[in-house]
Amino acid sequence: MPIRSILAGCGGYLPERIVTNEELSRTVDTSDAWIQERTGIRQRHFAAKHETTAFMGTAAAAAALADAGATAADVDAIILATSTPDQAFPASALRVQAALGVKQGFGFDLSAACAGFIYALSVADGLIRAGQVRGALVIGSEVYSRILNWQDRGTCVLFGDGAGAVFLRAATAADDDRRGVLSTHIHAQGTLGDILYVDGAVGQPDKPGHLVMHGREVFRHAVTRLAEAVEEALAANGLRHTDIDWLVPHQANSRIIEAMGRKLGLPADRVVVTVDRHANTSAASVPLALAEARGDGRIKPGDLVLLEALGGGLAWGSALVRL
Ligand code: UT7
């Protein structure tokens, strides 16, 4: 039988500091009513100085390992999806490797904005299927609060900080052969790079870099592309909408999430929503939502879970996983 990967554990980390819409509206020309009505966001977490991408990624990864009953000795690869790495190098993934006491294997950061976790999951699944690694940590960790333009009310109210992680391991003969990562599909359209981007980078002189977004255009692409990605995932596995137990979507906007749920014919209580409390945590949003719904017992072993995300690039994708 070909090698499959099992999603064996999930974990998340959110910074201690919570910032409500009301608090933001004291310094930004906005209101709780506008933010809630247009996005569903009520609050977000903002990182303190010590809550770096590697710090939060380490905490989420440690929780995922504990959830899986695994240890540092089981980790052959660490793939950390982020648009806000602590340093140009070394990779934040390797800071996590050191902090967890992982002595073997390799790691790297992956840049695919809000689709980063789906991309990283796809790469890790491929490494396991190829027999190159047996255990992989897949992490999304972001500190968007450090790249927001506080003069741009159209974007600065939308994002939050946090990290989520999963531990993937190669299936063994003891595993139910229906379990595992059934498929991943990832896509990109580089010609749309200028509708959602950061206008600077470590390598650019005098440009710290701020997030810029043409929200309406991104919204339009998100609804179309994510619907296509979901149909692609189901078709590839010979499954129907009714087979899905849970949708764990990227948490950018409750209106996009609701549209996806409706397209799939899923009742609202089968769609995991965290955007109200976390806002958009980019690459961290899907694994954070997954960790929450696994942790509180909503998602159970054997459930079929559809993950999807879209972000700057444009980059997007889906993953279908039986827990
Ligand atoms: O994670 C990556 C993927 N990202 C997404 O999927 C995000 C997709 N886009 C969106 O979620 C939505 O487009 C936004 C939430 C970003 C914006 O919602 P919108 O309904 O598209 O609003 P808009 O940008 O068209 O702005 C509508 C109005 C404007 O005023 P006028 O021109 O109609 O007078 C804005 O100036 O709302 C105004 N506005 C605000 N008002 C109060 C924009 N931001 C704010 C604000 N507070 N924070």
Side-chain angles (χ1 to χ4, degrees):
M1 181 175 295
I3 305 173
R4 286 172 301 114
S5 44
I6 301 285
L7 200 162
C10 309
Y13 178 88
L14 288 160
E16 267 173 45
R17 181 163 176 244
I18 293 174
V19 176
T20 62
N21 293 345
E22 198 276 322
E23 184 178 340
L24 265 191
S25 68
R26 286 183 225 148
T27 51
V28 178
D29 179 18
T30 188
S31 66
D32 176 46
W34 189 93
I35 301 172
Q36 285 215 44
E37 190 195 320
R38 305 312 293 165
T39 71
I41 296 165
R42 289 191 280 115
Q43 62 174 49
R44 73 285 294 138
H45 293 247
F46 280 161
K49 222 171 182 176
H50 71 283
E51 290 172 313
T52 62
T53 290
F55 176 94
M56 296 193 297
T58 301
L65 281 180
D67 184 39
T71 69
D74 300 311
V75 179
D76 302 318
I78 302 175
I79 308 179
L80 189 150
T82 189
S83 302
T84 49
D86 298 331
Q87 298 165 284
F89 66 82
S92 297
L94 300 188
R95 297 295 190 191
V96 172
Q97 187 197 40
L100 290 175
V102 175
K103 303 265 188 311
Q104 66 289 327
F106 60 91
F108 55 91
D109 291 354
L110 185 154
S111 166
C114 298
F117 178 77
I118 303 286
Y119 268 57
L121 191 69
S122 184
V123 173
D125 180 50
L127 290 170
I128 288 175
R129 285 177 192 266
Q132 198 172 343
V133 306
R134 294 199 58 77
L137 275 169
V138 183
I139 306 167
S141 185
E142 303 276 20
V143 280
Y144 268 44
S145 61
R146 315 230 214 272
I147 59 165
L148 293 174
N149 174 0
W150 299 104
Q151 313 310 319
D152 178 11
R153 67 177 182 170
T155 55
C156 71
V157 303
L158 304 176
F159 295 89
D161 302 332
V166 302
F167 180 64
L168 289 189
R169 62 165 176 79
T172 66
D175 287 305
D176 176 340
D177 61 11
R178 294 181 326 136
R179 275 187 83 193
V181 177
L182 305 189
S183 66
T184 60
H185 290 88
I186 53 176
H187 298 281
Q189 192 174 344
T191 53
L192 294 171
D194 288 338
I195 66 171
L196 175 51
Y197 61 98
V198 175
D199 63 357
V202 181
Q204 293 194 24
D206 311 320
K207 275 211 164 186
H210 287 125
L211 184 143
V212 183
M213 177 163 74
H214 301 281
R216 274 198 189 171
E217 248 188 289
V218 175
F219 192 104
R220 196 164 52 79
H221 286 290
V223 172
T224 314
R225 295 303 181 208
L226 290 173
E228 284 170 8
V230 160
E231 296 304 331
E232 181 183 34
L234 290 173
N237 292 283
L239 294 167
R240 291 167 307 183
H241 292 181
T242 46
D243 294 317
I244 300 171
D245 295 307
W246 291 97
L247 174 65
V248 183
H250 175 45
Q251 308 285 324
N253 187 316
S254 59
R255 289 183 288 145
I256 300 176
I257 295 171
E258 282 158 18
M260 290 302 298
R262 273 196 305 274
K263 279 211 163 101
L264 288 168
L266 278 175
D269 63 359
R270 289 275 148 178
V271 180
V272 179
V273 177
T274 57
V275 68
D276 54 333
R277 288 156 294 126
H278 302 175
N280 183 345
T281 57
S282 191
S285 93
V286 168
L288 262 173
L290 187 62
E292 180 177 284
R294 271 256 306 195
D296 65 21
R298 270 179 291 167
I299 298 183
K300 297 192 170 49
D303 282 353
L304 185 65
V305 181
L306 181 58
L307 316 174
E308 45 88 335
L310 173 140
L314 289 184
W316 68 95
S318 69
L320 203 48
V321 183
R322 192 173 295 280
L323 267 298

